[in-house]
Amino acid sequence: MNSEENPKPENADSEHPQTQHPRAETPQPESPQPESPKSEDQKAESPRAEEPEAAPEPAGEPAPEQRTGRQRLAAVLWPPRASRAQLIVAVLLFVLGLGLAIQVRSTSDNSALRGARQEDLVRILDELDNRTARLEDEKQSLEDQRAELENSSDQAEEARRQTQQKEQQLGILAGTVAAQGPGITLTIEDPSGSVESDMLLDTIQELRAAGAEAIQVNDIRVVADTYFTGTGGEIEVDGNRITAPYIFKVIGKPQDLEPALNIPGGVVQTLEKEQATATVVPSQKIVVDALRPAKRPDYARSSAQ
């Protein structure tokens, strides 16, 4: 073979480039592409897959943010959520309030002046004013006596005179001496025998409160320790039997004694409810001549030296 016919290339690589077999390349992970920023409107429009849709509001009920203050308060209070302790406290408060209401109502209904007329109220106020005036006069009298004792040249004689005067006053109160002066005569008729002993005792108390200084019931002198016993028709005063009509002779200021018996709910009205009649007659001279024996105390002695 001729070398000219088959010429050998000098550089095989230059004429026929060597074929290179591609190597299997490991696929590279694609780097995450940065998301393009979205506007706030796009974010708001794009639904979020992880948040469930809110349940639709019931028909006719406004959304919580659209409720008024009254609707919110009603939603809190109803349905009620009370514990056992709260229920017990509520029941106790209800019972307490009911008791107070009943007590106030009963007190107002039993008031003797609830249905009184204006004239009666004015008369009661006058009686209170007169009682205050009597106390002021008594206070002034005691102050005058003290001044006389301090300023008298013969204090021993002045003290003796005041002592005798005081003895007369105490004798009237004790029922050991007779007395006379202005006052009233109270006559109680009891045809049905319904007047009880406590009613006569209430009459004595009303007269004393009005300023009575001497009292006589029928033929018995009323003093500090006088007591009434018995039932209707069989009444005793200090153990002595008295019968109707019951006649009270009272010495005091008539303008104070008579209104005290006629006040609403007073002695006269109480006796009229028991089918009895009470008659009050004022007078400028009432004689109380029933006497009580003077008793010498067994143990008490004067502490004056």
Side-chain angles (χ1 to χ4, degrees):
M1 231 193 307
N2 192 354
S3 57
E4 294 179 355
E5 292 179 359
N6 292 321
K8 186 176 181 179
E10 296 176 357
N11 190 358
D13 295 333
S14 60
E15 295 182 359
H16 299 282
Q18 185 177 356
T19 303
Q20 295 179 355
H21 297 282
R23 291 178 300 177
E25 298 181 357
T26 303
Q28 297 294 330
E30 297 180 359
S31 59
Q33 298 295 328
E35 297 181 358
S36 60
K38 296 182 180 180
S39 63
E40 296 294 334
D41 296 338
Q42 292 177 350
K43 290 182 179 181
E45 292 176 359
S46 60
R48 298 183 179 180
E50 62 274 8
E51 294 184 0
E53 296 184 359
E57 293 288 338
E61 294 186 2
E65 61 273 6
Q66 297 179 353
R67 294 180 181 176
T68 62
R70 183 178 299 177
Q71 292 175 343
R72 293 177 182 177
L73 179 61
V76 173
L77 297 179
W78 189 263
R81 303 176 183 87
S83 62
R84 182 177 180 182
Q86 292 174 340
L87 291 176
I88 294 175
V89 172
V91 172
L92 293 177
L93 291 177
F94 173 76
V95 173
L96 178 61
L98 182 62
L100 291 176
I102 294 175
Q103 182 178 3
V104 171
R105 183 175 180 181
S106 61
T107 303
S108 59
D109 291 343
N110 295 334
S111 177
L113 303 179
R114 182 178 179 84
R117 299 175 301 174
Q118 184 177 0
E119 296 81 1
D120 296 331
L121 295 176
V122 171
R123 187 168 53 189
I124 294 173
L125 290 177
D126 291 340
E127 179 184 352
L128 294 176
D129 292 339
N130 293 332
R131 187 179 303 176
T132 303
R134 289 196 307 270
L135 294 176
E136 291 293 339
D137 293 341
E138 183 177 356
K139 175 184 176 183
Q140 186 63 38
S141 176
L142 294 175
E143 291 179 351
D144 293 342
Q145 292 179 8
R146 184 183 64 181
E148 290 177 358
L149 284 173
E150 292 176 350
N151 300 327
S152 176
S153 58
D154 190 354
Q155 295 186 356
E157 182 63 26
E158 181 64 24
R160 187 180 299 107
R161 184 185 66 83
Q162 292 188 11
T163 301
Q164 292 176 353
Q165 183 179 0
K166 196 68 175 180
E167 182 182 2
Q168 292 291 327
Q169 295 175 358
L170 294 177
I172 293 174
L173 296 177
T176 57
V177 297
Q180 66 177 15
I184 63 171
T185 300
L186 171 64
T187 304
I188 299 176
E189 299 283 351
D190 184 23
S192 60
S194 58
V195 176
E196 301 290 340
S197 58
D198 58 344
M199 299 179 185
L200 299 182
L201 181 59
D202 291 340
T203 303
I204 296 295
Q205 298 295 342
E206 288 289 346
L207 292 171
R208 284 176 173 170
E213 298 176 351
I215 304 174
Q216 175 179 326
V217 180
N218 289 7
D219 296 330
I220 302 174
R221 186 72 169 266
V222 176
V223 293
D225 58 351
T226 296
Y227 61 92
F228 290 78
T229 58
T231 58
E234 298 179 355
I235 296 178
E236 295 182 354
V237 181
D238 294 336
N240 300 311
R241 177 81 175 273
I242 61 173
T243 57
Y246 309 111
I247 301 175
F248 290 72
K249 295 181 179 181
V250 186
I251 295 177
K253 190 176 181 180
Q255 293 82 355
D256 296 340
L257 298 175
E258 184 177 3
L261 300 176
N262 291 313
I263 62 174
V267 173
V268 174
Q269 287 189 1
T270 303
L271 292 173
E272 289 176 352
K273 291 180 181 179
E274 300 296 333
Q275 306 302 320
T277 59
T279 305
V280 181
V281 179
S283 176
Q284 292 301 317
K285 184 178 181 180
I286 299 294
V287 177
V288 176
D289 52 6
L291 302 179
R292 300 289 292 265
K295 294 182 180 179
R296 183 179 180 86
D298 296 330
Y299 305 101
R301 296 292 184 269
S302 176
S303 61
Q305 300 298 331

